[in-house]
Amino acid sequence: MAASVEELEQRLTALRARLRESRRAGDSTAGARIRKELREVEAKWEAALDAEESLQGSPAVTPPVRDEQRPPSLPSRGAVPVREQVYQSLTILGAPAAPKLISSVYEAFFSESLVATKLASLRRDEERSFTAQGYSRPYYICAAINHDRLTAARGLLAVSVWSLEQRLITPLSPRADFLRHAIGTAEQIQRLDNAGNPPSEAAWRLLRRFALTIPGAYSEALRPDPERVLSAARAEAEVHQGEGSRERIDAARRAREQLSDVQQLFGARELHDALRSGGGVL
């Protein structure tokens, strides 16, 4: 029988406590094992929460977003192109993200929906456009880059104006980027509150999801405290930033030396693709 959301949350709490103990003891082997288990339980918790929400039915329709709620440099009336919807979501998140999260963020903070399946060919379309026209657009939706092979990280989108270091995916990136997503979401909720635009219930649910897996961020209140989430997420993010900064710097240096402009945005070609086209080994 599958574990309930509450049972999984209890396991997450216990695992986070064990992770803190392993860090204090300086036991990196145990810490790595616990982090792996933590990621597995987090994935189960996400699935269980999705299943629970689907049983409760679709959420109520939220009122349209006012114009001042949108970034001033982006369109606020009429249909927004998919690439701009993705750009708005990624700007809030501040780190590479998967289509499902990008869609959830857009629907939480804007009045229109963003169907994740529409993103399937977006990166390829953007690469073709950049290859043909270069830097003719202010931004492109591009790829996150694997730090070792310098290839495109599957299923993760980024923004071309971000630095290479920000778009690189290292072994620590899943957690570090998760914390960056939490920070961006909490900051956006604060901006809306300060502007007198109450965040939607979907935005609060999104922040709650982040808070549940960040030590010190969650409380039993109906809505999570954005400032508390920010404080807890930033504290943990400092640890990951210190551990992964050298890896990012080295990989970014290699990418700038070895890759063309197109490849720096969309990744080096996979080995089998390069061989098939006669390009040789990367």
Side-chain angles (χ1 to χ4, degrees):
M1 181 178 178
S4 67
V5 172
E6 290 74 17
E7 291 170 338
L8 290 169
E9 288 173 358
Q10 291 173 3
R11 287 178 62 186
L12 288 172
T13 300
L15 285 169
R16 288 196 293 267
R18 287 170 53 195
L19 183 58
R20 288 194 295 271
E21 291 174 1
S22 69
R23 284 178 175 171
R24 284 195 291 265
D27 190 344
S28 58
T29 302
R33 185 175 62 252
I34 295 169
R35 279 194 293 269
K36 179 180 178 182
E37 186 177 354
L38 190 60
R39 289 193 294 269
E40 292 173 351
V41 177
E42 285 174 353
K44 292 179 181 178
W45 175 82
E46 287 278 357
L49 194 61
D50 285 341
E52 184 179 272
E53 289 180 354
S54 66
L55 290 175
Q56 294 173 351
S58 302
V61 176
T62 55
V65 179
R66 292 195 287 270
D67 287 350
E68 62 267 23
Q69 189 169 320
R70 303 176 185 272
S73 61
L74 296 172
S76 59
R77 292 185 174 86
V80 179
V82 170
R83 69 184 301 270
E84 295 191 15
Q85 291 179 317
V86 174
Y87 174 75
Q88 291 182 46
S89 290
L90 287 172
T91 298
I92 291 172
L93 291 168
K100 183 178 179 181
L101 177 59
I102 291 170
S103 176
S104 296
V105 168
Y106 192 83
E107 292 177 4
F109 290 111
F110 301 93
S111 59
E112 302 172 49
S113 62
L114 171 56
V115 181
T117 54
K118 291 183 178 180
L119 278 60
S121 61
L122 177 61
R123 191 190 63 78
R124 293 192 298 273
D125 293 342
E126 292 287 276
E127 182 174 359
R128 282 194 290 268
S129 175
F130 182 85
T131 301
Q133 304 176 25
Y135 294 95
S136 61
R137 293 176 173 177
Y139 69 86
Y140 288 85
I141 303 303
C142 60
I145 306 295
N146 290 313
H147 80 290
D148 48 358
R149 294 282 295 166
L150 302 181
T151 53
R154 296 186 184 280
L156 293 176
L157 298 177
V159 183
S160 63
V161 295
W162 293 350
S163 67
L164 261 171
E165 288 82 357
Q166 191 175 358
R167 293 188 288 110
L168 284 167
I169 302 299
T170 71
L172 293 177
S173 290
R175 185 60 182 176
D177 289 348
F178 175 91
L179 295 169
R180 179 59 252 178
H181 297 160
I183 291 169
T185 300
E187 288 175 339
Q188 179 69 359
I189 285 178
Q190 285 187 329
R191 281 192 289 267
L192 295 179
D193 266 338
N194 293 338
N197 296 321
S200 68
E201 287 303 316
W204 288 113
R205 285 197 300 271
L206 186 64
L207 187 62
R208 178 176 178 267
R209 285 193 175 201
F210 286 121
L212 278 167
T213 57
I214 301 173
Y218 183 70
S219 69
E220 296 300 328
L222 183 62
R223 290 176 174 173
D225 178 6
E227 190 57 44
R228 180 171 179 170
V229 175
L230 284 171
S231 178
R234 285 168 177 163
E236 186 181 343
E238 286 184 9
V239 177
H240 293 287
Q241 183 177 11
E243 293 175 351
S245 59
R246 173 51 55 188
E247 209 163 23
R248 287 177 181 270
I249 291 171
D250 290 344
R253 175 186 53 77
R254 287 192 297 110
R256 292 187 178 101
E257 291 174 352
Q258 300 175 18
L259 304 184
S260 66
D261 287 353
V262 173
Q263 291 172 329
Q264 287 183 38
L265 291 182
F266 300 96
R269 302 177 71 175
E270 296 283 0
L271 178 59
H272 61 82
D273 289 339
L275 292 174
R276 185 169 52 194
S277 63
V281 178
L282 294 173

